[in-house]
């Protein structure tokens, strides 16, 4: 069951259970309304708590619904009903409360968070804006300037800051969200804490200077993007609307404009591309190598040493009879690796492919590297990828030739004005050669490692769109 209701003394608890991240799918949205109605009808419940089971509060929308027609109840309508609750309604947060998850919390009358909780409205990273009241309720709590910065950046806000600026009302020392929620509800019922209905808090005063300053920043730093400018419009309208309802209607119009933008499609394409780029298709039940030798010196080796204990791996600088995997710094001789160990050479972008079964091509910028298979089994490549993931390294698995190296060379052999076109042409060639397991891997590497414009979704996506005569976003897409 996605959402269930249970009373604890005088407090009714609405609990969400939709693993792994309690995403706001249709069943959860419908379940919230059903559980709310149950709580309102429960005459012995004097206050209600909304919480989530598992490792996090609601971490956002359900990605399984991306690209599909919306299903009722829509999230804005759910939150309106939560906010209209006639009993004190407490949100108990833990892990993360992101996007629609934070918007649900903003619709509640009091917000308590466990230590370490993070909140945010990161929709801008998918070419969207918060479409369920985030641009109208957050400014009522934290003001116009802070709302502009938080929502246009999409950054996560730590619990201490969230408390200081007014997003949440308290940080709890309790161990579970249930305990924190019940304690907060009892404090509210005892008159020790005051609730606030966010939508009834007056909107902040208009601030043309702050709006103009943010627009200038966006014009300088991201003039090609669409959704950040719509976010500014929505927050500005919050200060001018005659009512919350009017502001919510305008927010919805701007949200739908973002949904129709080609940038939204491109950014969501990258979102899916980044989900499992380390997975080798067709390999099941692979396990990371446990005994690894790091031969030579490299800054990545220092980072991996710090991740060792958490990953439950053994890292040494000298191979021995137990060594299963050798990672060679650039320039190190593969002969240092014992015969029983899989050998992976770290390779710079400008170096030729090494004579090892696998190489890790290092990006000069960004956090994503490429694990290229030059002759290893698919199973061994997967085990190495899982090992690197355990060491908190982001990798894309591929076949030879190196996708990243090919793209890099294509960019180097043309003028600055033609780099995008060169990357797009190279991406088509790579796909035809079968160098990648997934064509979206080309897009991910180009964006994360070579700076291809993120909002376009990647060179292969753009080349494919161009070949089917679909239009791409213009440079003045925000206007």
């Amino acid at each position: 069951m996605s959402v269930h209701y249970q009373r604890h003394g005088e407090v009714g608890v609405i609990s969400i259970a939709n693993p792994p991240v309690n995403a706001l799918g249709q069943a959860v949205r419908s379940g919230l309304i059903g559980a709310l109605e149950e709580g309102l009808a429960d005459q012995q419940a004097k206050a209600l708590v909304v919480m989530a089971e598992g490792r996090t509060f609601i971490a956002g929308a359900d990605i399984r619904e991306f690209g599909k027609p919306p299903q009722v109840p829509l999230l804005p309508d759910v939150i309106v009903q939560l906010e209209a609750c006639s009993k004190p309604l407490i949100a108990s947060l833990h892990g993360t409360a992101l996007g629609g998850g934070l918007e649900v919390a903003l619709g509640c009358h009091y917000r308590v968070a466990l230590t370490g909780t993070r909140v945010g409205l990161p929709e801008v990273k998918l070419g969207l804006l918060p479409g369920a009241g985030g641009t109208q309720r957050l400014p009522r709590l934290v003001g116009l300037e802070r709302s502009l910065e938080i929502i246009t950046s999409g950054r996560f806000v730590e619990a201490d800051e969230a408390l200081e600026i007014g997003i949440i009302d308290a940080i709890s020392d309790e161990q579970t969200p249930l305990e924190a929620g019940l304690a907060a509800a009892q404090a509210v019922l005892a008159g020790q804490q005051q609730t606030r209905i966010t939508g009834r808090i007056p909107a902040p005063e208009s601030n043309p200077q702050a709006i103009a300053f943010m627009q200038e920043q966006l014009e300088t730093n991201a003039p090609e993007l669409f959704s950040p400018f719509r976010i500014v419009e929505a927050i500005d309208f919050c200060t001018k609307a005659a009512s919350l309802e009017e502001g919510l209607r305008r927010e919805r119009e701007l949200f739908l404009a973002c949904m129709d933008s080609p940038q939204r499609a491109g950014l969501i394409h990258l979102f899916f591309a980044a989900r499992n780029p380390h997975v080798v298709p067709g390999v099941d039940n692979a396990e990371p190598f446990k005994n690894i030798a790091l031969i030579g010196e490299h800054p990545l080796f220092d980072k991996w040493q710090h991740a060792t204990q958490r990953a439950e791996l053994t890292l040494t600088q000298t191979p021995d009879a137990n060594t299963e995997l050798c990672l060679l710094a650039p320039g190190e001789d593969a002969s240092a690796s014992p015969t029983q160990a899989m050998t992976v050479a770290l390779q710079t972008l400008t170096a030729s492919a090494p004579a090892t079964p696998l190489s890790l091509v290092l990006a000069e910028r960004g956090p994503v590297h490429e694990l290229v298979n030059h002759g290893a089994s698919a199973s061994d490549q997967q085990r190495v990828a899982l090992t690197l993931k355990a060491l908190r390294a982001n990798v894309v698995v591929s076949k030879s030739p190196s996708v990243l190296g090919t793209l890099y060379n294509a960019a180097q052999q043309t003028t600055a004005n033609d780099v995008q076109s060169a990357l797009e042409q190279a991406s088509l060639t790579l796909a035809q050669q079968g160098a990648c397991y997934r064509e979206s891997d080309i897009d991910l590497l180009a964006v994360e490692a070579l700076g291809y414009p993120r909002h376009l979704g990647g060179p292969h996506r753009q080349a494919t769109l161009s070949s089917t005569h679909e239009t791409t976003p213009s440079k003045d897409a925000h206007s």
Side-chain angles (χ1 to χ4, degrees), residues 279-287 377-383 386:
V279 171
V280 179
V283 178
D284 298 319
N285 303 317
E287 296 289 339
S377 69
S379 176
D380 281 337
Q381 184 179 24
Q382 185 63 86
R383 293 190 70 189
L386 291 172

Side-chain angles (χ1 to χ4, degrees), residues 30-352:
S30 179
L32 279 171
I33 290 179
L36 177 65
E37 292 173 347
E38 194 174 349
L40 289 171
D42 185 350
Q43 296 184 0
Q44 297 184 63
K46 307 303 181 185
L48 302 177
V49 169
V50 176
M51 56 157 281
E53 300 175 10
R55 59 186 173 89
T56 187
F57 191 68
I58 303 164
D62 191 335
I63 61 174
R64 292 171 296 187
E65 295 185 358
F66 284 6
K68 297 180 180 179
Q71 294 179 290
V72 294
L74 300 180
L75 185 59
D77 300 328
V78 174
I79 295 173
V80 166
Q81 291 195 43
L82 292 172
E83 193 167 60
C85 178
S86 58
K87 299 178 181 182
L89 182 61
I90 292 92
S92 182
L93 314 179
H94 74 293
T96 56
L98 302 175
L102 179 56
E103 288 176 303
V104 166
L106 296 178
C108 296
H109 309 154
Y110 187 90
R111 286 159 294 282
V112 61
L114 296 186
T115 302
T117 302
R118 297 186 296 168
V119 303
L121 295 169
E123 286 88 346
V124 68
K125 296 177 182 179
L126 294 180
L128 296 170
L129 58 77
T135 67
Q136 305 303 299
R137 291 189 177 92
L138 189 66
R140 286 171 158 82
L141 292 174
V142 307
L144 180 138
E145 293 89 344
R146 284 196 176 108
S147 296
L148 285 170
E149 185 274 321
I150 290 170
I151 304 178
T152 59
S153 70
R155 71 179 178 91
F156 292 4
V157 180
E158 303 290 339
D160 289 341
E161 182 187 356
L163 176 63
E164 179 184 350
I165 65 179
I167 299 178
I168 62 175
D169 298 290
I171 298 175
S172 174
D173 292 328
E174 300 288 354
Q175 296 301 305
T176 68
L178 175 60
E179 293 170 332
L182 292 175
Q186 292 294 348
V188 167
L189 291 174
Q192 298 167 349
Q193 296 292 339
Q194 297 297 314
T195 59
R196 299 176 293 171
I197 297 177
T198 311
R200 295 182 187 173
I201 298 172
E205 293 184 3
S206 177
N207 189 334
Q209 291 80 15
I211 294 295
F213 178 73
M214 178 55 71
Q215 287 176 329
E216 289 173 5
Q217 279 195 312
L218 294 173
E219 289 282 2
T220 300
N221 299 325
E224 72 283 358
L225 297 186
F226 184 82
S227 66
F229 291 90
R230 304 292 84 76
I231 289 169
V232 174
E233 284 186 58
I235 294 174
D236 187 29
F237 194 82
C238 172
T239 69
K240 301 171 182 177
S243 64
L244 173 68
E245 292 72 24
E246 184 180 358
L248 291 174
R249 284 194 295 271
R250 181 58 180 153
E251 176 191 75
R252 194 66 185 171
E253 292 170 357
L254 293 167
F255 173 81
L256 293 174
C258 292
M259 284 290 290
D260 289 338
S261 166
Q263 294 187 8
R264 189 269 312 174
L267 290 166
I268 287 180
H269 168 76
L270 278 179
F271 173 82
F272 281 108
R275 291 192 69 207
N276 291 301
H278 69 287
V279 171
V280 179
V283 178
D284 298 319
N285 303 317
E287 296 289 339
F289 290 107
K290 296 296 185 182
N291 297 292
I292 303 115
L294 305 177
I295 300 176
E297 296 183 1
H298 192 274
L300 277 177
F301 288 178
D302 297 330
K303 293 182 181 179
W304 294 345
Q305 290 281 7
H306 290 301
T308 304
Q309 186 172 3
R310 187 172 183 178
E312 299 182 351
L313 304 178
T314 300
L315 297 188
T316 64
Q317 292 183 322
T318 304
D320 57 31
N322 295 318
T323 300
E324 300 173 284
L325 171 64
C326 282
L327 299 171
L328 308 178
E332 292 293 330
D333 192 341
S335 63
S337 177
T339 55
Q340 84 276 2
M342 172 58 57
T343 304
V344 179
L346 275 62
Q347 175 189 346
T348 63
L349 271 176
T350 55
S352 359

